[in-house]
Amino acid sequence: MIDKRPFDKLGGANHGWLNAKHHFSFASYYDAGKMGWGSIRVWNDDEIAANSGFPPHPHDNMEIITYVREGAITHEDSLGNKGRTEAGDVQVMSAGTGIRHAEYNMESETTRIFQIWVIPSVRGEAPSWGAKPFPKDDRAGKFVTLASGFDGDGDALPIRTPARLLGATLLKDQSETYRPVETGGPRYLYLVVSKGKVEVNGVALNTRDGAAIKDEAELTITALEDAEVVLLDAA
């Protein structure tokens, strides 16, 4: 089952400094049928104006992954962590028992990010933050694991949930396949096209379209034009 979520049909809000689109119910956007997908709770497509951002605010018991599409995001938190994450790179904040953080676009151009929230499998652990570069050349023609809750994915940023976030860059007419993790239970996949246009098991997706996927033994992603895709495989 592949449920296409066209970008132009997503809910959202434009706050001037922030133009946000929501793949799932979030803030003032409510859709009873889109409260989440398995343990995936939020996938926001945010455009943050230059020299603006999110002032300090709290989170707890949530795995928050930020994938930077364009520009850069600067993070500061109550643990004393500070970092700047550039396009193509990823940061992960495990909110645990509680953390306050701020995210700013300190650049001279608009920053575009995907921010993804996944419910952790264990509550009440200590909060943490980390970031890592993932050169797009390393993802050419194949999926690379960016964040993971599985022990075998040692090069990925750790998350506290049995999920895996992957990214791939494909040239026109290139294809890549992916088989969901086998954990003995249902898997809930969500794929978003960061750039370009692809076909997933025969379903065409344009830039910033999403697809909720379940009960597919294997995915074949074919680039209809040069493309960049991000895929989350969760419980």
Side-chain angles (χ1 to χ4, degrees):
M1 185 277 288
I2 299 178
D3 177 19
K4 180 177 177 178
R5 308 274 178 90
F7 176 74
D8 60 4
K9 302 292 186 183
L10 299 179
N14 191 334
H15 304 282
W17 66 273
L18 171 67
N19 187 12
K21 293 291 187 179
H22 309 311
H23 287 262
F24 301 99
S25 285
F26 186 83
S28 61
Y29 167 63
Y30 176 74
D31 183 330
K34 295 182 179 178
M35 293 303 296
W37 186 240
S39 62
I40 305 168
R41 178 60 190 87
V42 169
W43 191 308
N44 288 343
D45 184 325
D46 292 338
E47 295 183 342
I48 307 166
N51 301 306
S52 66
F54 301 91
H57 57 282
H59 291 283
D60 65 77
N61 292 303
M62 193 66 70
E63 302 300 292
I64 299 174
I65 308 168
T66 303
Y67 179 94
V68 183
R69 297 178 56 236
E70 297 177 26
I73 198 80
T74 297
H75 166 99
E76 299 179 5
D77 66 41
S78 54
L79 300 178
N81 295 308
K82 295 183 179 181
R84 178 178 176 275
T85 306
E86 299 182 348
D89 299 343
V90 178
Q91 68 175 20
V92 167
M93 187 174 73
S94 294
T97 53
I99 189 171
R100 290 181 62 84
H101 80 136
E103 289 179 303
Y104 297 110
N105 174 15
M106 295 182 173
E107 315 304 311
S108 59
E109 60 184 8
T110 299
T111 286
R112 295 175 172 86
I113 65 171
F114 292 146
Q115 189 165 95
I116 303 158
W117 297 12
V118 188
I119 298 168
S121 54
V122 178
R123 296 172 61 88
E125 295 193 346
S128 67
W129 174 84
K132 188 174 179 179
F134 289 95
K136 291 186 181 181
D137 288 348
D138 293 350
R139 295 182 248 158
K142 64 180 181 180
F143 277 112
V144 169
T145 304
L146 309 174
S148 175
F150 298 104
D151 291 339
D153 293 332
D155 292 335
L157 286 163
I159 52 177
R160 299 166 181 173
T161 187
R164 177 183 285 157
L165 183 75
L166 308 105
T169 57
L170 302 172
L171 298 177
K172 182 181 179 182
D173 297 327
Q174 273 189 323
S175 292
E176 171 67 331
T177 59
Y178 179 77
R179 293 185 64 86
V181 180
E182 294 184 8
T183 56
R187 301 299 295 178
Y188 296 84
L189 280 65
Y190 203 80
L191 183 146
V192 180
V193 184
S194 181
K195 294 180 181 177
K197 184 177 181 179
V198 304
E199 193 173 79
V200 181
N201 288 9
V203 177
L205 301 172
N206 295 311
T207 302
R208 298 163 85 181
D209 286 353
I213 303 164
K214 189 170 181 280
D215 299 328
E216 297 282 336
E218 184 175 88
L219 301 182
T220 299
I221 299 98
T222 302
L224 303 179
E225 59 187 46
D226 291 357
E228 177 184 339
V229 297
V230 182
L231 172 65
L232 182 59
D233 179 349

